[in-house]
Amino acid sequence: MSIRVLGFDISTCTGYGFWETSRHVSSIEADVIELPEAKTYIGKDGKRKQDYHWDDWRVAQAGPKVVKLIRRLKPDLVLVEERLRFSKTGDGSFAMTNAIHGAVYSHCCSFGILFGTIYSQSWRAAAYGEGFKQPLIPALDRSGQQKVDPKTGKPLFKSKDWGDIAVEKCEDLGIKLPAKKEISHNAAEAAIIAMMWRCHNRISIPETRAHEQYIELLQRPRARQEEAA
């Protein structure tokens, strides 16, 4: 019996991946929920500042889009990458992302849909293997030339972006992603998150009473196989 899993990689450009588990992973629908562009204004000090009131309106647009997605896909389980608890940069996108998390969780509750969360480090370990480290790639300057250490003259390298790693994995699996590179990362990570739905030891189900419902989903395909035998 197929389980309908909806994975989310939430940000101001939220990626989603939908998988009916009876079908091959190449069938995963991977796309993004985009919000209106940010706005800025010139403050009294003459400096350009972000319009946080406009950001409130931007976040509000996520709600109807999430509702439309849930109604169309009718997931049995929504799996979301765990939100950051503290801001690393102090910018407005941190607050917006947390607000979108709240919108997704509240709509899941409204529709009576089971939802869980999984840490980024945890699903990546499951997807790419324990001990996997980001490969090193050349650090390039604006002209496309590899940077060198001014002291030693040795070429410089940087860690490959996790988004690029996810895109490559999805391409290897035959999962179709949005053509725009700047949003394909979000869709790719959401698709892989959806694939991690059986990693019960890595997933947190916030509502205690919902644990039994999640266990039932895990056992459902196995139960169907036993009936067929």
Side-chain angles (χ1 to χ4, degrees), residues 210-223:
H211 278 277
E212 291 184 5
Q213 185 181 352
Y214 175 59
I215 297 302
E216 189 274 330
L217 285 182
L218 290 175
Q219 295 175 341
R220 193 183 295 177
R222 189 176 304 161

Side-chain angles (χ1 to χ4, degrees), residues 27-195:
S27 68
I28 291 177
E29 176 185 333
D31 210 334
V32 297
I33 296 174
E34 294 186 87
L35 299 182
E37 293 292 330
K39 283 186 178 181
T40 59
Y41 65 95
I42 304 299
K44 294 180 180 180
D45 57 2
K47 295 181 179 179
R48 185 168 294 279
K49 300 181 180 181
Q50 189 169 350
D51 188 340
Y52 293 114
H53 295 295
W54 175 257
D55 283 349
D56 291 342
W57 184 84
R58 293 172 67 206
V59 168
Q61 308 315 301
K65 294 184 178 183
V66 170
V67 168
K68 184 177 180 180
L69 196 64
I70 288 175
R71 284 177 170 165
R72 177 171 68 86
L73 300 177
K74 299 178 175 61
D76 298 303
L77 170 67
V78 171
L79 184 56
V80 185
E81 182 179 271
E82 180 72 53
R83 66 187 178 89
L84 292 176
R85 305 295 178 177
F86 304 97
S87 175
K88 294 180 179 180
T89 60
D91 59 17
S93 62
F94 172 77
M96 288 186 64
T97 299
N98 274 274
I100 297 171
H101 272 270
V104 171
Y105 300 153
S106 63
H107 288 312
C108 286
C109 289
S110 296
F111 283 95
I113 297 171
L114 174 68
F115 73 92
T117 63
I118 186 169
Y119 284 110
S120 58
Q121 301 95 323
S122 190
W123 73 255
R124 285 168 181 157
Y128 307 129
E130 292 285 356
F132 177 88
K133 295 182 179 180
Q134 293 165 272
L136 294 178
I137 59 175
L140 307 179
D141 59 24
R142 292 183 178 179
S143 65
Q145 299 297 313
Q146 186 170 11
K147 298 178 182 179
V148 297
D149 188 313
K151 294 182 179 180
T152 65
K154 293 182 178 180
L156 295 176
F157 295 84
K158 64 178 182 177
S159 296
K160 194 169 192 176
D161 185 79
W162 282 115
D164 289 332
I165 294 170
V167 167
E168 290 178 358
K169 184 172 182 67
C170 285
E171 290 175 344
D172 289 342
L173 294 172
I175 298 172
K176 186 177 180 180
L177 299 173
K180 292 170 61 178
K181 182 178 179 180
E182 56 269 29
I183 64 173
S184 63
H185 292 175
N186 307 74
E189 296 212 325
I192 298 174
I193 289 169
M195 292 167 57

